[in-house]
């Protein structure tokens, strides 16, 4: 008696990989589109946005936070410096995050899934706060006495008149996703790599913080709230363990929360042995 085995289709693997890649691209693009569309829902609440801005400004002074103007004065020491800060604000945020996700997808798939989920939770929470708490940025607040450096020195990503800006909601300053995403990028690289220099990636969120504050696009509290939201997302979404294998993002999740055997493998030695004996019975 003989048995016949049908050979596997050699093209099935690449086709499945392409389908998973397309699915991920559509998912990320869809989430971003929903976020951008949702932000526009609060564009007409100008008076509320300015009332909230005055409250944030007074709260920062009550908390004795440093004035945003101190950072802006450092940038205004030279045209090249302030122009560079505006360029960093306009050109680094989205490309850096996109390249980071692509690198994770290709080289650290399990960390990609973790990062994508954390960023989705963070961005969703930010959208809810944008809608609940419209906020005019410090560049619009007269009491702040700050310059709109992007309009004066360029380049700018915003229209000169917020009411007629159809591309962005300029009253969605709280929280700062520029800072939140930059911080997650740094933490993600640190978690996914083993280089002794990986902590230097924290310079990216630090520089981003100085840029968003110095260009008068955000208050200090915008970054603080983004950090709190990111911390909550990190507590909610489990990070891959140090021994987790990097498999294809589309493959079934086999971490300790999804696979019974993984939970046993993650236990300390004596307890692992006891659990294994119990399982054998």
């Amino acid at each position: 008696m003989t048995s016949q085995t049908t050979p596997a289709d050699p093209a099935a693997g690449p086709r499945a990989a392409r389908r998973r890649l397309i699915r991920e691209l559509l998912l990320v693009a869809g989430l971003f589109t929903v976020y951008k569309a949702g932000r526009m829902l609060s564009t007409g609440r100008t008076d509320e946005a300015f009332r909230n801005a005055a409250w944030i400004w007074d709260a920062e002074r009550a908390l004795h936070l440093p004035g945003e103007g101190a950072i802006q004065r450092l940038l205004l020491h030279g045209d090249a410096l302030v122009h560079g800060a505006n360029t960093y604000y306009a050109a680094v945020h989205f490309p850096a995050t996109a390249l980071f996700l692509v690198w994770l997808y290709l080289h650290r798939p399990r960390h990609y899934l973790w990062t994508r989920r954390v960023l989705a939770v963070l961005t969703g929470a930010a959208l809810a706060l944008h809608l609940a708490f419209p906020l005019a940025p410090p560049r619009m607040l007269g009491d702040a006495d700050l310059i709109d450096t992007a309009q004066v020195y360029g380049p700018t990503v915003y229209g000169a008149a917020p009411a007629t800006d159809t591309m962005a909601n300029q009253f969605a300053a709280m929280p700062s996703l520029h800072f939140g995403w930059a911080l997650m990028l740094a933490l993600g690289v640190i978690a996914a790599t083993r280089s002794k220099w990986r902590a230097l990636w924290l310079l990216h969120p630090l520089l981003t913080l100085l840029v968003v504050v110095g260009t008068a696009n955000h208050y200090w509290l915008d970054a603080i709230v983004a950090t709190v939201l990111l911390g909550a997302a990190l507590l909610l979404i489990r990070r891959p363990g140090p021994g987790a294998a990097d498999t294809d993002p589309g493959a079934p999740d086999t971490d300790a929360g999804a696979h019974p055997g993984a939970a046993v493998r993650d236990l300390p030695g004596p307890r692992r042995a006891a659990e294994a004996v119990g399982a054998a019975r």
Side-chain angles (χ1 to χ4, degrees), residues 52-64 141 143 221:
N52 290 336
W55 184 86
I56 288 292
W57 184 259
D58 291 341
E60 287 192 341
R61 306 294 75 80
L63 293 171
H64 303 290
L141 188 62
D143 290 344
L221 281 175

Side-chain angles (χ1 to χ4, degrees), residues 57-257:
W57 184 259
D58 291 341
E60 287 192 341
R61 306 294 75 80
L63 293 171
H64 303 290
L65 294 177
E68 287 80 356
I71 305 300
Q72 184 168 97
R73 285 190 291 273
L74 293 176
L75 296 181
L76 294 176
H77 280 175
D79 288 359
L81 189 60
V82 68
H83 183 79
N86 292 332
T87 302
Y88 197 91
Y89 182 87
V92 173
H93 176 51
F94 289 115
T97 306
L99 288 174
F100 168 57
L101 289 173
V102 169
W103 180 82
L104 285 178
Y105 184 88
L106 295 175
H107 301 287
R108 301 290 189 275
R110 290 178 64 85
H111 285 84
Y112 165 80
L113 287 174
W114 169 64
T115 302
R116 188 245 285 159
R117 291 165 182 167
V118 171
L119 286 176
V121 171
L122 169 63
T123 305
L127 176 58
L129 192 50
H130 292 330
L131 298 177
F133 192 78
L135 180 65
R139 67 177 186 272
M140 298 181 187
L141 188 62
D143 290 344
D145 195 26
L146 296 171
I147 296 172
D148 187 344
T149 61
Q151 292 293 337
V152 175
Y153 297 93
T156 181
V157 295
Y158 299 121
T164 60
D165 191 346
T166 59
M167 298 300 295
N169 177 10
Q170 298 191 40
F171 298 131
M174 173 77 77
S176 170
L177 280 183
H178 267 73
F179 179 73
W181 286 12
L183 183 56
M184 184 57 209
L185 188 158
L187 295 177
V189 172
I190 290 171
T193 61
R194 293 293 176 264
S195 169
K196 64 179 181 179
W197 303 105
R198 65 188 186 276
L200 291 176
W201 280 97
L202 290 171
L203 292 175
H204 173 51
L206 175 60
L207 182 57
T208 299
L209 175 62
L210 296 178
V211 164
V212 299
V213 171
T215 57
N217 282 294
H218 288 284
Y219 305 89
W220 294 111
L221 281 175
D222 295 340
I224 292 172
V225 171
T227 303
V228 172
L229 293 179
L230 176 59
L234 290 171
L235 289 174
L236 182 64
I237 308 298
R238 180 180 177 181
R239 180 171 71 89
D246 269 317
T247 57
D248 195 301
D253 193 356
T254 58
D255 61 14

